[in-house]
Coordinates of all heavy atoms in Angstrom, one line a residue:
M1 N 0.8 -1.2 0.1 CA 0.0 0.0 0.1 C 0.9 1.2 -0.1 O 1.9 1.2 0.7 CB -0.9 0.1 1.3 CG -1.8 -1.1 1.4 SD -3.1 -1.0 0.2 CE -4.2 0.3 0.8
P2 N 0.5 2.3 -0.8 CA 1.3 3.6 -0.7 C 0.9 4.3 0.6 O 0.0 4.1 1.2 CB 0.7 4.3 -1.9 CG -0.6 3.8 -2.0 CD -0.7 2.3 -1.6
H3 N 1.9 5.1 1.1 CA 1.7 5.9 2.2 C 2.7 7.2 2.1 O 3.8 6.9 1.7 CB 1.7 5.3 3.4 CG 3.1 4.6 3.8 ND1 3.5 3.3 3.3 CD2 4.2 5.0 4.4 CE1 4.7 3.1 3.6 NE2 5.2 4.2 4.3
P4 N 2.3 8.3 2.6 CA 3.1 9.4 2.6 C 4.2 9.4 3.7 O 4.0 8.9 4.8 CB 2.2 10.6 2.7 CG 1.0 10.0 3.5 CD 0.9 8.7 3.0
I5 N 5.4 9.9 3.4 CA 6.5 10.1 4.4 C 6.4 11.5 4.8 O 6.8 12.5 4.1 CB 7.8 9.7 3.7 CG1 7.7 8.2 3.1 CG2 9.0 9.8 4.7 CD1 7.5 7.1 4.1
I6 N 6.2 11.7 6.1 CA 6.0 13.0 6.5 C 7.2 13.4 7.5 O 7.5 12.6 8.4 CB 4.7 13.2 7.5 CG1 3.6 12.9 6.4 CG2 4.6 14.6 8.0 CD1 2.3 12.7 7.2
N7 N 7.8 14.5 7.3 CA 8.9 15.0 8.1 C 8.3 15.9 9.1 O 8.2 17.2 8.9 CB 10.0 15.8 7.3 CG 11.2 16.2 8.2 OD1 11.1 16.3 9.4 ND2 12.2 16.6 7.5
A8 N 8.1 15.5 10.3 CA 7.4 16.2 11.3 C 8.2 17.4 11.8 O 7.5 18.4 12.1 CB 7.2 15.3 12.6
D9 N 9.5 17.5 11.6 CA 10.2 18.7 12.0 C 9.9 19.9 11.0 O 10.1 21.0 11.5 CB 11.7 18.4 11.9 CG 12.2 17.4 13.0 OD1 11.4 17.2 14.1 OD2 13.2 16.7 12.8
E10 N 9.6 19.6 9.7 CA 9.2 20.6 8.9 C 7.8 21.0 8.9 O 7.4 22.1 8.3 CB 9.7 20.1 7.4 CG 11.1 19.9 7.2 CD 12.0 21.1 7.4 OE1 11.5 22.2 7.1 OE2 13.1 21.0 7.9
C11 N 6.9 20.2 9.4 CA 5.4 20.4 9.4 C 5.0 21.5 10.3 O 5.4 21.6 11.6 CB 4.8 19.1 9.8 SG 3.1 19.2 10.0
S12 N 4.1 22.6 9.8 CA 3.7 23.6 10.6 C 2.3 23.3 11.2 O 1.6 24.2 11.7 CB 3.6 24.8 9.7 OG 2.7 24.6 8.6
A13 N 1.8 22.1 10.9 CA 0.5 21.7 11.4 C -0.6 22.5 10.9 O -1.7 22.8 11.6 CB 0.4 21.6 12.9
C14 N -0.5 23.1 9.6 CA -1.5 23.9 8.9 C -2.8 23.1 8.7 O -3.7 23.7 8.5 CB -0.9 24.6 7.8 SG -0.5 23.5 6.4
G15 N -2.6 21.8 8.4 CA -3.8 21.0 8.2 C -4.3 21.0 6.7 O -5.2 20.4 6.4
I16 N -3.5 21.6 5.9 CA -4.0 21.6 4.5 C -3.9 20.2 3.9 O -4.8 19.8 3.1 CB -2.9 22.4 3.5 CG1 -3.1 24.0 3.9 CG2 -3.1 22.3 2.1 CD1 -2.1 25.0 3.4
C17 N -3.0 19.4 4.2 CA -2.9 18.1 3.7 C -4.0 17.3 4.3 O -4.6 16.4 3.5 CB -1.5 17.4 4.0 SG -1.2 17.2 5.8
V18 N -4.5 17.5 5.5 CA -5.6 16.8 6.1 C -6.9 17.1 5.2 O -7.7 16.2 5.0 CB -5.8 17.1 7.6 CG1 -7.0 16.6 8.2 CG2 -4.5 16.9 8.2
D19 N -7.1 18.3 4.9 CA -8.2 18.8 4.1 C -8.1 18.4 2.7 O -9.3 18.2 2.0 CB -8.4 20.3 4.2 CG -8.7 20.8 5.6 OD1 -9.1 20.0 6.4 OD2 -8.4 22.0 5.9
T20 N -6.9 18.3 2.1 CA -6.7 17.9 0.8 C -6.9 16.5 0.4 O -7.5 16.1 -0.6 CB -5.4 18.4 0.3 OG1 -5.2 19.7 0.4 CG2 -5.1 18.0 -1.1
C21 N -6.4 15.6 1.4 CA -6.5 14.1 1.2 C -8.1 13.7 1.0 O -8.9 13.8 1.8 CB -6.0 13.4 2.3 SG -6.0 11.6 2.1
P22 N -8.2 13.1 -0.2 CA -9.7 12.6 -0.5 C -10.1 11.4 0.2 O -11.3 11.0 0.2 CB -9.6 12.3 -2.0 CG -8.2 11.9 -2.3 CD -7.3 12.8 -1.3
Q23 N -9.1 10.7 1.0 CA -9.2 9.4 1.5 C -9.3 9.5 3.1 O -9.5 8.5 3.8 CB -8.1 8.5 1.1 CG -8.2 8.2 -0.5 CD -9.3 7.5 -0.8 OE1 -10.2 7.9 -1.5 NE2 -9.4 6.2 -0.4
G24 N -9.1 10.7 3.6 CA -9.0 10.7 5.1 C -7.9 10.0 5.8 O -8.1 9.5 6.8
V25 N -6.8 10.0 5.0 CA -5.6 9.2 5.6 C -4.9 10.1 6.6 O -4.2 9.5 7.6 CB -4.6 9.1 4.4 CG1 -3.4 8.4 4.9 CG2 -5.3 8.2 3.3
L26 N -4.9 11.4 6.6 CA -4.1 12.3 7.4 C -4.9 13.0 8.6 O -6.0 13.3 8.4 CB -3.4 13.3 6.6 CG -2.5 12.6 5.5 CD1 -2.0 13.7 4.6 CD2 -1.3 11.9 6.2
D27 N -4.2 13.2 9.7 CA -4.8 14.1 10.7 C -3.6 14.7 11.5 O -2.4 14.5 11.3 CB -5.6 13.3 11.7 CG -6.7 14.1 12.4 OD1 -6.6 15.4 12.3 OD2 -7.5 13.6 13.0
I28 N -4.0 15.8 12.3 CA -2.9 16.4 12.9 C -2.8 15.7 14.3 O -3.8 15.6 15.1 CB -3.2 17.9 13.2 CG1 -3.4 18.7 11.9 CG2 -2.1 18.6 14.0 CD1 -2.1 18.6 11.0
V29 N -1.6 15.2 14.7 CA -1.5 14.5 16.0 C -0.2 15.0 16.6 O 0.8 15.1 16.0 CB -1.2 13.0 15.6 CG1 -1.0 12.3 17.0 CG2 -2.4 12.3 14.9
R30 N -0.4 15.6 17.8 CA 0.7 16.2 18.6 C 1.5 17.2 17.6 O 2.7 17.2 17.5 CB 1.7 15.0 19.1 CG 1.0 14.3 20.2 CD 2.1 13.3 20.9 NE 2.4 12.4 19.9 CZ 1.9 11.2 19.8 NH1 0.8 10.8 20.5 NH2 2.3 10.3 19.0
D31 N 0.7 18.1 17.1 CA 1.3 19.3 16.5 C 2.0 19.0 15.1 O 3.0 19.7 14.6 CB 2.2 20.1 17.4 CG 1.5 20.7 18.6 OD1 0.3 21.1 18.2 OD2 2.0 20.8 19.5
A32 N 1.7 17.8 14.5 CA 2.2 17.5 13.3 C 1.2 16.6 12.5 O 0.5 15.9 13.1 CB 3.6 16.9 13.3
A33 N 1.3 16.7 11.1 CA 0.6 15.7 10.3 C 1.0 14.4 10.5 O 2.2 14.1 10.6 CB 0.7 16.2 8.9
A34 N 0.1 13.4 10.5 CA 0.4 12.0 10.8 C -0.5 11.2 10.0 O -1.6 11.6 9.7 CB 0.4 11.6 12.2
V35 N -0.1 10.0 9.6 CA -0.9 9.1 8.8 C -1.8 8.4 10.0 O -1.2 7.6 10.8 CB -0.1 8.0 8.1 CG1 -0.9 7.0 7.5 CG2 0.6 8.7 7.0
V36 N -3.1 8.5 9.8 CA -4.0 7.8 10.8 C -4.8 6.7 10.2 O -5.5 6.0 10.9 CB -4.8 8.9 11.6 CG1 -3.9 9.8 12.3 CG2 -5.7 9.6 10.6
N37 N -4.9 6.5 8.9 CA -5.6 5.7 8.2 C -4.9 5.2 6.9 O -5.3 5.3 5.8 CB -7.0 6.4 7.7 CG -8.0 5.3 7.3 OD1 -7.9 4.1 7.5 ND2 -9.1 5.8 6.8
E38 N -3.8 4.5 7.2 CA -2.8 4.1 6.2 C -3.5 3.2 5.0 O -3.1 3.4 3.9 CB -1.5 3.5 6.9 CG -0.5 3.0 5.8 CD 0.8 2.6 6.5 OE1 1.0 3.0 7.5 OE2 1.4 1.9 5.8
D39 N -4.3 2.4 5.4 CA -4.7 1.5 4.5 C -5.7 2.1 3.4 O -5.9 1.7 2.3 CB -5.6 0.4 5.2 CG -4.9 -0.7 6.0 OD1 -3.6 -0.5 5.8 OD2 -5.4 -1.3 6.7
A40 N -6.1 3.4 3.6 CA -6.9 4.1 2.7 C -6.3 4.8 1.7 O -6.8 5.3 0.7 CB -7.8 5.1 3.5
C41 N -4.9 5.0 1.9 CA -4.1 5.9 0.8 C -4.0 5.2 -0.5 O -3.8 4.0 -0.6 CB -2.6 6.0 1.5 SG -1.7 7.0 0.4
I42 N -4.4 6.1 -1.6 CA -4.4 5.5 -2.8 C -3.2 6.1 -3.7 O -3.0 5.8 -4.8 CB -5.6 6.0 -3.5 CG1 -5.8 7.5 -3.5 CG2 -6.8 5.3 -3.0 CD1 -7.0 8.1 -4.3
G43 N -2.2 6.8 -2.9 CA -1.0 7.2 -3.6 C -1.2 8.3 -4.6 O -0.3 8.5 -5.5
C44 N -2.1 9.1 -4.5 CA -2.4 10.2 -5.5 C -1.5 11.4 -5.4 O -1.3 12.0 -6.4 CB -3.9 10.8 -5.3 SG -4.1 11.6 -3.7
G45 N -0.8 11.5 -4.2 CA 0.2 12.6 -4.2 C -0.3 13.9 -3.9 O 0.5 14.9 -3.9
E46 N -1.7 14.1 -3.8 CA -2.1 15.6 -3.7 C -1.6 16.1 -2.3 O -1.3 17.3 -2.3 CB -3.7 15.4 -3.6 CG -4.3 15.2 -5.0 CD -5.8 15.1 -5.0 OE1 -6.4 15.8 -4.2 OE2 -6.3 14.4 -5.8
C47 N -1.4 15.4 -1.2 CA -1.0 16.0 0.0 C 0.4 16.6 -0.3 O 0.7 17.7 0.4 CB -1.0 14.9 1.2 SG -0.1 13.4 0.6
M48 N 1.3 15.8 -1.0 CA 2.6 16.2 -1.2 C 2.6 17.5 -2.0 O 3.4 18.5 -1.8 CB 3.4 15.0 -1.8 CG 4.8 15.4 -2.0 SD 5.8 14.0 -2.4 CE 5.3 13.5 -4.0
E49 N 1.8 17.6 -2.9 CA 1.7 18.7 -3.9 C 1.2 20.0 -3.1 O 1.6 21.0 -3.5 CB 0.7 18.4 -5.1 CG 1.3 17.3 -6.1 CD 0.4 17.1 -7.2 OE1 -0.6 17.8 -7.4 OE2 0.5 16.1 -7.8
E50 N 0.3 19.7 -2.3 CA -0.3 20.9 -1.6 C 0.5 21.4 -0.3 O 0.2 22.6 0.2 CB -1.7 20.6 -1.2 CG -2.7 20.3 -2.4 CD -2.8 21.6 -3.3 OE1 -2.8 22.7 -2.7 OE2 -2.9 21.4 -4.5
C51 N 1.3 20.7 0.2 CA 2.0 21.0 1.4 C 2.8 22.3 1.2 O 3.8 22.2 0.4 CB 2.9 19.9 1.9 SG 3.9 20.4 3.5
P52 N 2.7 23.4 2.0 CA 3.5 24.7 1.7 C 4.8 24.5 2.3 O 5.7 25.4 2.0 CB 2.7 25.6 2.4 CG 1.8 25.0 3.4 CD 1.5 23.5 2.9
M53 N 5.1 23.6 3.2 CA 6.4 23.5 3.8 C 7.3 22.3 3.1 O 8.5 22.1 3.8 CB 6.1 23.1 5.3 CG 5.3 24.0 6.1 SD 5.9 25.7 6.1 CE 7.1 25.5 7.3
G54 N 6.8 21.5 2.2 CA 7.7 20.6 1.7 C 7.9 19.5 2.7 O 8.8 18.7 2.7
A55 N 6.9 19.4 3.7 CA 7.2 18.4 4.8 C 6.7 17.0 4.4 O 7.2 16.0 5.1 CB 6.3 18.8 6.0
I56 N 6.0 16.7 3.3 CA 5.7 15.5 2.8 C 6.6 15.1 1.7 O 6.6 15.6 0.7 CB 4.2 15.4 2.3 CG1 3.2 15.7 3.6 CG2 4.0 14.0 1.9 CD1 1.8 15.7 3.2
E57 N 7.7 14.3 2.1 CA 8.7 14.1 1.3 C 8.7 13.2 0.2 O 9.4 13.3 -0.9 CB 10.0 13.5 2.2 CG 10.3 14.6 3.3 CD 11.4 14.1 4.2 OE1 11.6 12.9 4.3 OE2 12.1 15.1 4.7
D58 N 7.7 12.2 0.3 CA 7.5 11.2 -0.9 C 6.3 10.3 -0.4 O 5.8 10.5 0.6 CB 8.8 10.3 -0.8 CG 9.0 9.4 -1.9 OD1 8.2 9.7 -3.0 OD2 9.9 8.7 -2.0
I59 N 5.8 9.8 -1.6 CA 4.8 8.8 -1.4 C 5.4 7.5 -1.6 O 5.9 7.0 -2.7 CB 3.7 9.0 -2.4 CG1 3.1 10.4 -2.3 CG2 2.5 8.0 -2.0 CD1 2.6 10.9 -0.9
E60 N 5.6 6.7 -0.5 CA 6.4 5.4 -0.6 C 5.4 4.3 -0.9 O 4.3 4.2 -0.4 CB 7.0 5.1 0.8 CG 8.0 4.0 0.6 CD 8.8 4.0 1.8 OE1 9.9 4.6 2.0 OE2 8.4 3.3 2.8
E61 N 5.7 3.4 -1.7 CA 5.0 2.2 -2.2 C 5.8 0.9 -1.4 O 6.9 0.9 -1.4 CB 5.1 1.8 -3.6 CG 4.4 2.9 -4.4 CD 2.8 2.6 -4.6 OE1 2.4 1.6 -4.1 OE2 2.2 3.6 -5.1
D62 N 5.0 0.1 -0.8 CA 5.6 -1.1 -0.1 C 4.7 -2.2 -0.2 O 3.6 -2.0 -0.9 CB 6.0 -0.8 1.3 CG 4.9 -0.3 2.2 OD1 3.7 -0.4 1.9 OD2 5.3 0.1 3.3
Ligands
SF4_1 S1 -1.1 10.3 -1.3 FE1 -3.4 10.9 -1.7 S2 -4.6 9.4 -0.5 FE2 -2.4 9.1 0.2 S3 -2.4 10.5 1.9 FE3 -1.7 11.8 0.2 S4 -3.6 12.8 -0.4 FE4 -4.2 11.0 0.8
SF4_2 S1 0.3 20.5 4.6 FE1 2.5 20.2 5.2 S2 2.9 21.6 6.7 FE2 0.6 21.5 6.6 S3 -0.2 19.9 8.1 FE3 0.3 18.9 6.2 S4 2.5 18.2 6.3 FE4 2.1 19.8 7.8

């Protein structure tokens, strides 16, 4: 399943990726974006494209 790789140190917790994800994969947990519903990720990359901080580094397939 694909899943985003988030660098929490770069994340401003703006929530844009949470609102952008069509699958409800992300949420803000302890002041940073986190994957809370990994199985739902479809690897679309929209979260990475919309992040203003470049905190979503990659969409990893495994
Ligand atoms: S790649 Fe797409 S489905 Fe996966 S977390 Fe990002 S926006 Fe959501
Ligand atoms: S869009 Fe980027 S900076 Fe904003 S909460 Fe998501 S990962 Fe963090």
Side-chain angles (χ1 to χ4, degrees):
M1 297 290 288
H3 59 275
I5 305 300
I6 301 167
N7 182 345
D9 290 339
E10 298 294 326
C11 176
S12 66
C14 68
I16 290 173
C17 59
V18 177
D19 293 337
T20 298
C21 177
Q23 298 291 110
V25 172
L26 303 167
D27 204 352
I28 304 298
V29 179
R30 291 189 292 275
D31 296 326
V35 175
V36 295
N37 194 9
E38 181 169 335
D39 290 348
C41 181
I42 56 174
C44 66
E46 288 183 31
C47 54
M48 187 165 67
E49 288 174 19
E50 294 299 324
C51 176
M53 306 296 289
I56 300 180
E57 297 181 335
D58 200 4
I59 310 297
E60 190 170 274
E61 298 274 351
D62 59 10

